[in-house]
């Protein structure tokens, strides 16, 4: 197939390299140093899915009419990137590979003729050098849309993408987005203190903060009537039980996630953006919890404090001491 991938960072680069290896005709969009590196040397992928050196067409916008599109930009860049390519995309299937809760709705608004769906990826990949991606943790990805069962088109697209990495079409996609948002609470604290996810979870003081942000996220979702989708052993029943546990016992949840990551340092996507000097998508992660809480008349003080601290790191260009996190976050 002719597959267009908008955004060739960690996940976009992973999908581009592996779909190209599988024989698809792949074109990616990128900017700046990333675009220059891909044009000169291709995408170099290493780690859990093996060594792949993929030569793909690259530009600031798509140039060939695709049969399938993946949107892999950061959440804050999605609207402008989709708009830039909307005319060429037309009515083909579009898969939004993105954190947060708003990606599919954004694509549907800007691409009224396209068939839009979302992909939740738990793959951990480091992208700290232009054109170079290292996958530190492989994982199944989950594709769907809306609240109902997986439809035939989602099942077909999942089969196509499974040529690159395992992808499963799932029912209840909106609830699964909330489950992924809980997982994404692993991002903020490592970004603030400049340490790997594993190091942060190994520190009992910081693990407590991460746990508090996860528990707050679950409680806000429950207040909204969300039924959590199942991802990697996390589902509605387990997350609701977790939200009722004392904080000290609830720390087993981030610890179990840390064990699955293995020993290769996982920086998290938020910290990787900071290291590249780029804005983070924190407003679509912890910030999304704050907005969703306000929508049901509640407060989310833990996630509000973490959002503010990440923005402070963005402005100052350097990490903060652990003591600032412990002092500012009401965990």
């Amino acid at each position: 197939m002719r597959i267009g991938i908008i955004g060739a960072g960690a996940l976009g680069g992973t999908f581009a390299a592996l779909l190209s290896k599988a024989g698809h005709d792949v074109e990616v969009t990128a900017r700046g140093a990333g675009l220059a590196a891909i044009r000169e040397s291709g995408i170099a992928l290493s780690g859990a899915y093996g060594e792949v050196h993929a030569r793909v067409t690259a530009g600031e916008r798509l140039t060939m009419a695709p049969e399938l599109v993946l949107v892999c930009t950061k959440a804050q860049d999605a609207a402008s990137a989709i708009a830039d390519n909307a005319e060429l995309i037309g009515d083909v299937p579009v898969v939004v590979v993105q954190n947060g809760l708003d990606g599919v709705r954004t694509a549907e608004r800007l691409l009224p003729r396209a068939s839009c769906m979302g992909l939740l990826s738990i793959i951990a990949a480091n992208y700290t050098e232009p054109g170079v991606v290292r996958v530190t943790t492989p994982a199944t990805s989950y594709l769907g849309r809306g609240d109902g069962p997986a439809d035939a088109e989602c099942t077909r697209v999942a089969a196509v993408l499974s040529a690159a990495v395992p992808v499963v079409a799932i029912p209840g996609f909106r609830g699964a987005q909330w489950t992924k948002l809980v997982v994404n609470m692993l991002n903020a604290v490592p970004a603030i203190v400049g340490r790997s996810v594993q190091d942060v979870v190994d520190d009992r003081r910081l693990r407590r903060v991460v746990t508090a942000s996860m528990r707050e996220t679950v409680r806000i979702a429950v207040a909204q009537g969300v039924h959590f989708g199942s991802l990697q052993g996390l589902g509605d029943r387990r997350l609701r039980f977790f939200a009722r546990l004392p904080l000290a016992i609830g720390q087993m949840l981030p610890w179990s996630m840390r064990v699955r990551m293995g020993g290769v340092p996982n920086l998290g996507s938020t910290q990787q953006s900071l290291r590249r000097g780029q804005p983070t998508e924190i407003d679509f992660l912890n910030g999304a919890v704050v907005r969703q809480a306000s929508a049901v008349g509640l407060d989310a003080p833990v996630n509000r404090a973490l959002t503010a601290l990440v923005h402070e790191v963005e402005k100052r260009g350097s990490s903060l001491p652990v003591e600032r996190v412990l002092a500012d976050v009401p965990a």
Side-chain angles (χ1 to χ4, degrees):
M1 293 180 69
R2 295 188 307 277
I3 300 178
I5 297 180
I6 300 175
L11 287 178
T14 298
F15 276 100
L18 294 174
L19 286 168
S20 177
K21 179 185 177 184
H24 295 287
D25 187 2
V26 175
E27 180 178 25
V28 304
T29 73
R31 295 185 183 276
L35 176 57
I38 294 170
R39 280 177 166 169
E40 180 178 353
S41 306
I43 298 172
L45 181 74
S46 63
Y49 293 117
E51 304 284 330
V52 180
H53 184 212
R55 288 282 189 175
V56 298
T57 304
E60 291 193 354
R61 291 180 175 83
L62 297 176
T63 60
M64 65 178 185
E67 297 170 280
L68 174 66
V69 171
L70 274 62
V71 179
C72 300
T73 66
K74 294 296 184 184
Q76 69 269 19
D77 299 325
S80 61
I82 291 171
D84 285 346
N85 294 279
E87 185 174 350
L88 196 63
I89 291 173
D91 60 358
V92 304
V94 174
V95 178
V96 181
V97 187
Q98 213 162 77
N99 292 322
L101 303 172
D102 302 325
V104 178
R105 285 197 298 268
T106 298
E108 288 173 338
R109 174 172 56 83
L110 295 170
L111 301 168
R113 294 190 295 133
S115 177
C116 299
M117 57 201 82
L119 184 80
L120 303 173
S121 179
I122 318 293
I123 296 169
N126 290 336
Y127 176 64
T128 54
E129 180 183 344
V132 179
V133 180
R134 178 170 178 79
V135 177
T136 58
T137 307
T140 299
S141 297
Y142 303 89
L143 187 142
R145 54 185 158 199
D147 298 310
D151 58 45
E153 186 170 44
C154 287
T155 302
R156 178 180 67 83
V157 171
V160 171
L161 296 179
S162 289
V165 298
V167 175
V168 177
I170 61 169
F173 182 77
R174 288 196 183 110
Q177 284 182 292
W178 273 97
T179 304
K180 176 69 187 302
L181 190 61
V182 175
V183 174
N184 282 136
M185 293 299 108
L186 289 170
N187 269 281
V189 178
I192 294 164
V193 300
R195 291 161 59 179
S196 72
V197 175
Q198 290 97 323
D199 283 348
V200 164
V201 177
D202 287 345
D203 185 321
R204 61 179 180 79
R205 301 166 302 167
L206 295 176
R207 185 170 65 243
R208 181 180 178 88
V209 175
V210 173
T211 305
S213 70
M214 289 179 167
R215 189 170 68 167
E216 188 176 81
T217 301
V218 174
R219 289 175 172 178
I220 297 304
V222 169
Q224 291 213 358
V226 169
H227 182 88
F228 293 97
S230 295
L231 299 179
Q232 286 199 320
L234 289 180
D236 192 76
R237 190 172 181 178
R238 184 178 177 187
L239 286 174
R240 287 172 184 267
F241 178 67
F242 159 73
R244 296 192 298 268
L245 289 173
L247 196 59
I249 300 175
Q251 293 179 60
M252 289 302 297
L253 180 59
W255 177 255
S256 67
M257 295 177 183
R258 180 256 183 272
V259 169
R260 283 198 299 269
M261 288 180 184
V264 179
N266 178 0
L267 301 180
S269 60
T270 303
Q271 184 174 178
Q272 290 182 54
S273 294
L274 291 170
R275 292 192 177 197
R276 294 193 298 268
Q278 297 173 343
T280 73
E281 55 185 3
I282 195 67
D283 289 331
F284 295 85
L285 300 176
N286 303 74
V289 179
V290 177
R291 290 192 301 278
Q292 294 295 326
S294 179
V296 290
L298 298 175
D299 191 18
V302 175
N303 283 288
R304 186 176 63 251
L306 289 172
T307 302
L309 287 171
V310 172
H311 282 311
E312 183 175 339
V313 173
E314 286 177 328
K315 291 176 182 177
R316 62 183 273 151
S318 60
S319 58
L320 295 171
V322 170
E323 288 70 26
R324 272 295 306 280
V325 176
L326 302 179
D328 286 19
V329 181

